[in-house]
Amino acid sequence: MDLFELRLGMYATGPDARALADRARRLLDEHAASEASPVTAWALSLVGGGRPAGPEGEGEPTVAGLYEELPEQWRVEHPGQEPGERTVTELRVGVLGDTGQLRELLDALTALACPDPVHPGPCPVPWSAGFSEPLDEESRARLESRYGHLRG
């Protein structure tokens, strides 16, 4: 078992971001309870746009900087409309599990943001997703510092 971090950036209102996080918690609980799931343990957090994107802090881009295309995407897809209370937020999920099925779990999380990827028109909540895995000692140390507590 290894540690991974799934990241879902979104340009959403606070209530929309919290609702997506609640759906993600339910999904992760289901995965952790299943014998066939790659997930053994998980930790979820919502990170605001002004926070550093990485654990180092100083000199790191902010979460908003990491997903700077999302507000612009919303403006292009909603010409003349005001974004209201939307802000860039990142859903971070630390996972202890099997690397072989990590992509499936990320796909399941992104489906919470956009259940039908071929829908007409723009997504109501622009989003972008990715993941971090322990490819080298530096990335392994970063994941351990954030999510080592998942090892129990």
Side-chain angles (χ1 to χ4, degrees), residues 8-12 16 20 70-71 73-78 81 86 110-128:
L8 180 68
M10 64 191 109
Y11 187 58
D16 285 343
L20 196 144
L70 296 179
Q73 177 185 340
W74 190 90
R75 283 185 204 82
V76 167
E77 293 171 343
H78 301 86
Q81 294 182 25
R86 287 175 181 78
T110 59
L112 298 175
C114 182
D116 179 10
V118 294
H119 62 81
C123 285
V125 175
W127 59 274
S128 178

Side-chain angles (χ1 to χ4, degrees), residues 23-145:
R23 291 193 310 270
R25 284 182 186 95
R26 287 192 296 275
L27 174 78
L28 291 159
D29 278 343
E30 289 171 14
H31 273 267
S34 168
E35 301 254 341
S37 173
V39 177
T40 302
W42 60 272
L44 182 146
S45 60
L46 277 174
V47 182
R51 301 272 311 271
E56 290 80 23
E58 200 66 35
E60 284 283 314
T62 62
V63 167
L66 187 62
Y67 299 103
E68 67 186 353
E69 78 281 0
L70 296 179
E72 182 60 27
Q73 177 185 340
W74 190 90
R75 283 185 204 82
V76 167
E77 293 171 343
H78 301 86
Q81 294 182 25
E82 290 297 317
E85 299 292 317
R86 287 175 181 78
T87 61
V88 173
T89 305
E90 183 178 63
L91 177 74
R92 288 185 189 164
V93 181
V95 176
L96 177 63
D98 175 18
T99 186
Q101 296 173 332
L102 186 61
R103 175 54 69 183
E104 290 174 31
L105 182 57
L106 183 61
D107 289 347
L109 281 171
T110 59
L112 298 175
C114 182
D116 179 10
V118 294
H119 62 81
C123 285
V125 175
W127 59 274
S128 178
F131 62 90
S132 300
E133 55 186 318
L135 295 175
D136 55 32
E137 289 306 312
E138 183 180 328
S139 60
R140 185 173 301 281
R142 188 171 42 252
L143 290 165
E144 284 290 340
S145 72

